[in-house]
Amino acid sequence: MELDLDWVAAVQANTSAIERRAASLGGRRSVKKDYQAAWLCKAISLIDLTTLSGDDTEGRVRRLCAKARQPVAPWMLERLGMEGLTTGAVCVYHEMVETAVRALEGTNIPVAAVSTGFPAGLSPYRLRIAEIGESVKAGAKEIDIVISRRHVLTGNWQALYDEMREMRAACGEAHVKAILATGELQTLRNVARASLVCMMAGADFIKTSTGKETVNATLPVSLTMIRAIRDYEARTGFKVGYKPAGGISKAKDALLYLALMKDELGHPWLQPDLFRFGASSLLGDIERQLEHHLTGAYSAANRHAMA
């Protein structure tokens, strides 16, 4: 849609109320036993299994893709009645897109590529746009772009809108996730306004973080972004997805995010087309919790390696 600056200017964020709501979530929402196991299996189906390290190799990416195809030991899935469970996607740098696409051939697991000068987003603009095209050409079905934080910090909403709109166009048929790097946006009001502008410009998802910032996904930031999604859907009729990323490594944290999504947005946002976790170590802890559910004993973390 066209940029509506009056709507953007009207957006506010009551920080103390947001923090109180987020802090209350753990005590108000709790699931145990079979219900917890079911929710953890749901969380697995929503994970963008990620490797974004400077020492990534083709072998590591192939092993990660094998884990995406078979995220939990077969005997566990059989006992849980969850045969065929996979992660939501595999997320890699551009250089590893072709390797991941080949490794996931024959599955419905999409490859997501981080792009546009990830994580800082400070490379020349024409190169950022070109990078999107190269990743799509290599087979990426989803593109995680990073916005220019300076546009938010200076309140230049037109520049942010124009940038996001051009990146959306460059993605073509691929889904685009707009990474706000919320830990660098200073205030929850900035987070709310940036979320709205990116949705106006065509983002399919809004995402908290690159995972490289000092502060990544938090419940207050998530509540702020989720409320922006809810308001946008109420006014326009369009559903936009949400992806918290960075710092979500424990199964209990995943359950809190799922409860928040269910409370605020309902069941449609508990599916992979509208909700993802950006994570690398989360899957290992979920697998440990599921094994404990089935056997009554915790196993060592090294028995559930990612790659």
Side-chain angles (χ1 to χ4, degrees), residues 12-23 188 219-221 223-224 227:
Q12 301 294 331
N14 186 331
T15 300
S16 60
I18 291 169
E19 290 176 345
R20 284 197 304 272
R21 167 78 173 96
L188 291 179
L219 287 174
V221 159
L223 180 58
T224 302
R227 290 279 175 89

Side-chain angles (χ1 to χ4, degrees), residues 151-167:
H151 297 329
V152 180
L153 298 175
T154 59
N156 193 345
W157 304 116
Q158 186 68 58
L160 176 62
Y161 175 85
D162 292 343
E163 174 185 88
M164 182 69 239
R165 189 164 182 170
E166 188 168 356
M167 290 176 178

Side-chain angles (χ1 to χ4, degrees), residues 96-148:
M96 296 296 165
V97 170
E98 290 188 6
T99 299
V101 168
R102 289 195 299 270
L104 294 171
E105 191 173 357
T107 74
N108 292 320
I109 305 171
V111 174
V114 294
S115 192
T116 62
F118 180 95
L122 292 175
S123 56
Y125 186 67
R126 62 180 177 81
L127 297 181
R128 284 184 274 159
I129 297 298
E131 186 181 1
I132 293 173
E134 290 298 313
S135 292
V136 172
K137 189 185 303 182
K141 299 299 184 184
E142 302 175 359
I143 305 293
D144 290 26
I145 63 98
V146 289
I147 67 167
S148 297

Side-chain angles (χ1 to χ4, degrees), residues 226-255:
I226 289 167
R227 290 279 175 89
I229 289 171
R230 190 173 71 184
D231 291 346
Y232 189 77
E233 194 268 342
R235 188 176 297 199
T236 69
F238 286 95
K239 292 179 171 64
V240 176
Y242 178 61
K243 180 178 175 180
I248 304 173
S249 59
K250 299 297 182 184
K252 63 180 181 181
D253 296 330
L255 293 173

Side-chain angles (χ1 to χ4, degrees), residues 10 64 80 88 106 113 189 223 236 261:
L64 194 76
L80 291 166
R189 183 174 67 180
L223 180 58
T236 69
M261 294 299 288

